[in-house]
Amino acid sequence: MALYVQKFGGTSVGSVERIKAVAEKVKRFRDNGHQVVVVVSAMSGETNRLVDLASQINDEPTPRELDMLVSTGEQVTISLLAMALQKLGVQATSYTGAQVGIQTDSAHTKARIQRIETDEIQADLDDGQVVVVAGFQGVDEEGNITTLGRGGSDTTGVALAAALKADECQIYTDVDGVYTTDPRVCSKARRLETITVEEMLELASLGSKVLQIRAVEFAGKYNVPLRVLSSFEDGGSGTLIIADSEDEEDSMEEPLISGIAFTSNEAKLTLLNTPDVPGVASRILGPIADANIEIDMIVQNVAPAGDYTDFTFTVGKGDYKQTMKILKDQVIPDLGGGDLRGDDNIAKVSLVGVGMRSHAGIASKMFRVLADENINIRMVSTSEIKISVVIDEKHMELAVRALHKAFGLDKDDIEQE
């Protein structure tokens, strides 16, 4: 007998029929003698509907009241799923995050889990019940309902699995695993049997939307076996996210590249002819950080004369206009001059793989492949297991397909080996 924590997202519980299908799936695990805790999101579209209702009442609702409102979406789903399980003859009890004892800090709309009380859940499991828990939410020390941010149900699932020492946390979604890249862009993308936590963290941070990055961090920190599966298919092993290998030379066939992530949600800004003196970077980025705008890639050129330099960085496309305004109104006057250039028609394409650590030439091959496709590279950023380039947005899909083939990730390449 094993203990599974199973999380089902909004599309998986998006209708009464889907909720019934989830109940059937959970019942099969229970019939096989396993203990099951189910974490569910609100039905697809429900959170957006609730946020829209709030905006019709108040353009700037307080975070506390917004949490009170949007947390009700999951409450509907847990009760319906519990009813569906009971209809099938399975004992089931539903709990909100507060009822189950998910304690968080008081950062409304983006709270972080501090601890989980598991005594009541364990008692129900020992009594043969399926426990159905509302994802995305908890309660602070003052008894206020809090939410964990969009995608927070993944984090709830992994946190419960860690607290209960579950054998596996299964994330059911609308895809059957983690792919080498988005199959909608590259038809030859293939599903990975396994991927390391470190690689999954990079992919999640670089644009892959399969898992919330906080959930992956939680899984890595507490060594929770994490598997991504399809809620719309029966059978299949999905993708298992494993702890990083201690010995990266334990397999002669360790792939150099595990996946390719990409996003067009980027904008690039360049300050030309800024003074090349200590502290300039802080004077440029400080006001942007004060506006709670996150910076991604940064490149600073060294001017030949040593007097002036060019400073380039990227932000999310949604922050582009505000960042331009900050640079024009605050930074350039503070620096005493400088020319500003901006471009919100860019994309970031990234190679990710632990094999990069022990193999040279990945970057040069990537650059050669892009050059052969006549794709110009605007910026480059690297880490031990990642290489990211900024290119024109119009070339993004071509770049992904070319790199996918060049690094042997296509289905056809695998079948020929």
Side-chain angles (χ1 to χ4, degrees), residues 235-258:
S237 58
T239 300
L240 180 63
I241 300 170
I242 59 175
D244 301 339
S245 173
E246 293 181 1
D247 183 4
E248 290 170 7
E249 298 180 358
D250 59 358
S251 172
M252 293 292 289
E253 299 179 4
E254 181 73 37
L256 298 183
I257 304 300
S258 294

Side-chain angles (χ1 to χ4, degrees), residues 117-303:
E117 306 293 339
T118 60
D119 291 348
E120 191 162 1
I121 300 177
Q122 194 61 60
D124 282 349
L125 291 172
D126 293 341
D127 194 38
Q129 297 198 55
V130 170
V131 178
V132 184
V133 180
F136 174 65
Q137 62 183 250
V139 61
D140 67 11
E141 291 185 356
E142 302 299 321
N144 297 303
I145 292 175
T146 58
T147 64
L148 309 180
R150 287 301 180 95
S153 292
D154 286 354
T155 303
T156 302
V158 177
L160 279 169
L164 292 165
K165 296 180 171 55
D167 294 275
E168 191 170 279
C169 179
Q170 300 176 338
I171 306 291
Y172 287 88
T173 182
D174 53 1
V175 295
D176 62 346
V178 180
Y179 278 71
T180 49
T181 196
D182 190 335
R184 293 169 297 184
V185 169
C186 182
S187 61
K188 293 186 176 181
R190 59 184 174 82
R191 181 178 57 81
L192 298 167
E193 293 293 331
T194 63
I195 188 171
T196 68
V197 167
E198 194 174 7
E199 289 170 323
M200 193 65 239
L201 277 172
E202 288 283 10
L203 289 173
S205 68
L206 293 167
S208 173
K209 296 179 176 60
V210 176
L211 286 172
Q212 190 204 39
I213 188 168
R214 282 169 59 187
V216 183
E217 289 173 343
F218 225 111
K221 182 177 180 180
Y222 294 101
N223 200 27
V224 176
L226 188 59
R227 190 181 297 272
V228 179
L229 296 153
S230 171
S231 61
F232 301 104
E233 299 177 8
D234 290 325
S237 58
T239 300
L240 180 63
I241 300 170
I242 59 175
D244 301 339
S245 173
E246 293 181 1
D247 183 4
E248 290 170 7
E249 298 180 358
D250 59 358
S251 172
M252 293 292 289
E253 299 179 4
E254 181 73 37
L256 298 183
I257 304 300
S258 294
I260 301 176
F262 57 90
T263 177
S264 59
N265 188 32
E266 297 260 337
K268 179 170 69 75
L269 301 102
T270 300
L271 271 175
L272 303 168
N273 302 317
T274 61
D276 188 19
V277 295
V280 165
S282 175
R283 290 162 66 185
I284 294 172
L285 300 181
I288 297 169
D290 291 342
N292 204 29
I293 296 173
E294 294 185 3
I295 306 295
D296 185 12
M297 300 170 69
I298 301 173
V299 173
Q300 182 172 358
N301 299 320
V302 178

Side-chain angles (χ1 to χ4, degrees), residues 2-80:
L3 170 57
Y4 292 99
V5 174
Q6 300 179 331
K7 179 264 175 180
F8 293 89
T11 55
S12 303
V13 293
S15 66
V16 168
E17 290 72 24
R18 290 305 314 155
I19 291 173
K20 289 180 178 179
V22 168
E24 293 279 4
K25 190 182 294 286
V26 173
K27 181 179 184 298
R28 286 194 289 273
F29 274 82
R30 191 68 195 89
D31 289 346
N32 287 330
H34 301 306
Q35 294 181 325
V36 184
V37 175
V38 185
V39 175
V40 291
S41 301
M43 298 171 74
S44 57
E46 180 64 10
T47 302
N48 287 338
R49 186 185 73 85
L50 293 170
V51 171
D52 182 61
L53 284 175
S55 67
Q56 294 179 45
I57 297 293
N58 188 336
D59 289 339
E60 297 181 357
T62 62
R64 181 190 183 280
E65 296 308 323
L66 194 59
D67 275 356
M68 183 70 76
L69 175 66
V70 298
S71 64
T72 63
E74 283 72 21
Q75 190 168 335
V76 171
T77 316
I78 58 172
S79 57
L80 291 175

